Amino acid sequence: YQDLLQHPPSTNFEGLVPGTGGTNAVPAIYNEFDRRRNYGNFASSVKGEIRDTSLHWRWDTGLFNLDVLGFYQEFDTFDKTNRQPYPGGREIFNIDGEYKITTFEVRFSDTGEIVDYVAGLYYFDRPADITLDLEVQGVLIQGPGNSTNEGSAAYANLNFHLAPKWDLSVGGRYDQNTQSFSADFTFLDWRAKLNDSIDFDHLSWSVKLRNYITDNMTAYLSLDHAYKQGGFNPLVSAALPLLEAVPNNSLPIATAQSLTYDEETSEAIEIGFKSTLLDNHLRINTAIFYQRYNDHQIPQPADVQALAPLDPLFSQALDNAAEVVTKGVEFDVTYLFASFWDVALRAAYSDPTVEDWAGRFCGLTDGQPDEQLYCPKGDGEPLNDLPRWNTNLQLGLDRPLVSTWNIYG
């Protein structure tokens, strides 16, 4: 059920349509929608077909272990989304995509009295062909788009045995990525062609110190610097042929900002404790963490009225928030209380906040004038409205039936 604040008045039809809200005071979960499942134009549908294969070959050379890994996948999708599923609605997105993924990795590893190590080379190639057939406010936007995401990496991780009760792990990974995108979209008499590419490279690293308090208790401190590459927002490129046709001064600004998004980096610190007690019947793990994101990749709000009537093209487009911080605690307790039975309690608390996001667009729930494009967030405002606490209680069974069969659940 969605309330009136989340949808403009034109999409509210007395609460008769799932997900569109309305003036009906009865929540949608209590309405008899099965009797109205064909109400409106048509329901949205998504179909997909996936095929993949993988290879893993290992050789113990006597000096080190050599692993060769390969993976190939084809993924075809057809997405027909009715963005206005009510009588008179005319906002239909048909997106046909063909995706391929190829990865190849060579890995070297060994263990020793002083140091353990793993190092390797990694390569990936992800081409995609997309065909757009969009209807926005009754007007067609059509054309093909192609993207390629190609990259390689070199990585190594060394685990030093400093003393009988102390280990120090040091790791690093260097990534090089190139993402290219081309499109040829038409709208009435306008045509926009785009052919561009962006390059990323980054060195990530991690340091982890472990103290083996006893044979069954370990404490650790870890520091990490991570990286996530940027890219293109394909749907935003469909707005290019419309900039001259639609008299909206915010569209060129939003298109220039949203056509691409930058890489994301983060620094994290975590302190944790792991233990196995009561003759291996009780396991307790807990951790406290703090993480700061720079240029955090985050989707824009939906229904940006300042970009109407083309706001659907910008809905959920990825943008970069200059600084986002998250901190929290998590723990995991598992108890084996019978020969084949265990109970596990897992809980996590996280508090993600936005410290600086100047390029955030205004959504319906911001309460700003329709012509206002930007509604910045910052100074510790919540990143989202997800629950801060997540908990899970699980009862488990794992027992043998015969020599070659087990039952678990």
Side-chain angles (χ1 to χ4, degrees), residues 110-130:
D110 195 18
T111 59
E113 294 183 3
I114 299 176
V115 62
D116 308 328
Y117 73 88
V118 58
L121 301 171
Y122 178 78
Y123 169 81
F124 72 89
D125 182 32
R126 301 188 186 114
D129 297 323
I130 302 171

Side-chain angles (χ1 to χ4, degrees), residues 141 185 192 235-244 251 255 310 313-314:
I141 306 171
F185 296 120
L235 281 181
V236 173
S237 60
L240 292 173
L242 311 177
L243 299 183
E244 299 180 14
L251 279 173
T255 302
L310 302 182
L313 301 178
F314 297 85

